[in-house]
Amino acid sequence: MANVSTLDSSLADRLPIQSATLFEAKAYKKLTFEAIAKELGRDEVAVAAIFYGQAQTSPEDVEKLATILDIEHNKLEDLLAGFPFRGHTMDMPPKEPLIYRIYEIVQTYGYAYKAILNEKFGDGIMSAIAFSTKVEKETDKDGNNWAVITLRGKW
């Protein structure tokens, strides 16, 4: 059986109102973000971002999510109306260990990334709007699992 992420109760008061409804339905149906993403036709990170109120949905997303999660369409449409409320869910620096480790990676390698990107692309920044990301799992020949996080942004 797959591991199913549920709503971390310590975040609940910092998340938009739709998060509780989405996570409750996800947990009840025992769906992973990957399973929802396949049915929705979106990337699993984008789907998770919707649940955390960090990404916007299209009318088609709302219709499909209502069906996938068995949430009444009009209720979900009302909950997901408006714009995402990005960046308000965590303290800086992050306290959650995994998120802190990603933050630590940026602290450690941030200037190295910047220097190499500037060498390859010239002056500028990578977009977080014209952007995609994905998470993959690799297993090496010794059976060790490795996390692969890809960040792809327009320059």
Side-chain angles (χ1 to χ4, degrees), residues 8-16:
D8 179 342
S9 61
S10 69
L11 289 178
D13 64 338
R14 291 186 269 171
L15 295 174

Side-chain angles (χ1 to χ4, degrees), residues 116-130:
I116 292 167
L117 287 162
N118 287 156
E119 287 180 357
K120 291 182 182 286
F121 295 96
D123 187 30
I125 60 171
M126 184 176 83
S127 179
I129 297 169

Side-chain angles (χ1 to χ4, degrees), residues 4 10-12 14 20 30 35 37 40 55 58 61 75 80 90 92 104-105 121 123 132 137 149 151 153:
V4 175
S10 69
L11 289 178
R14 291 186 269 171
K30 296 177 175 50
L40 193 59
S58 68
D61 291 335
K75 176 183 179 178
L80 295 175
M90 75 170 109
M92 291 304 280
E104 184 180 39
I105 291 166
F121 295 96
D123 187 30
S132 64
K137 179 181 175 181
I149 301 172
L151 307 173

Side-chain angles (χ1 to χ4, degrees), residues 12-134:
D13 64 338
R14 291 186 269 171
L15 295 174
I17 194 164
Q18 71 265 23
S19 295
T21 301
L22 292 168
F23 274 104
E24 182 179 301
K26 178 184 179 295
Y28 180 78
K29 296 196 76 175
K30 296 177 175 50
L31 294 170
T32 63
F33 285 119
E34 181 180 25
I36 296 167
K38 284 180 182 173
E39 288 192 53
L40 193 59
R42 297 207 39 192
D43 177 88
E44 66 187 318
V45 178
V47 171
I50 291 168
F51 277 59
Y52 285 100
Q54 303 298 300
Q56 193 163 16
T57 55
S58 68
E60 296 80 20
D61 291 335
V62 174
E63 188 173 323
K64 288 179 183 178
L65 276 172
T67 301
I68 295 165
L69 298 172
D70 289 331
I71 299 172
E72 197 269 315
H73 180 270
N74 289 340
K75 176 183 179 178
L76 191 59
E77 188 173 50
D78 288 345
L79 288 172
L80 295 175
F83 297 99
F85 195 55
R86 297 183 179 103
H88 294 275
T89 58
M90 75 170 109
D91 299 321
M92 291 304 280
K95 291 176 180 62
E96 200 287 326
L98 177 60
I99 296 171
Y100 181 81
R101 186 53 41 105
I102 293 169
Y103 173 78
E104 184 180 39
I105 291 166
V106 173
Q107 284 185 305
T108 303
Y109 295 102
Y111 282 101
Y113 289 149
K114 180 189 182 319
I116 292 167
L117 287 162
N118 287 156
E119 287 180 357
K120 291 182 182 286
F121 295 96
D123 187 30
I125 60 171
M126 184 176 83
S127 179
I129 297 169
F131 179 83
S132 64
T133 184
K134 65 181 176 178

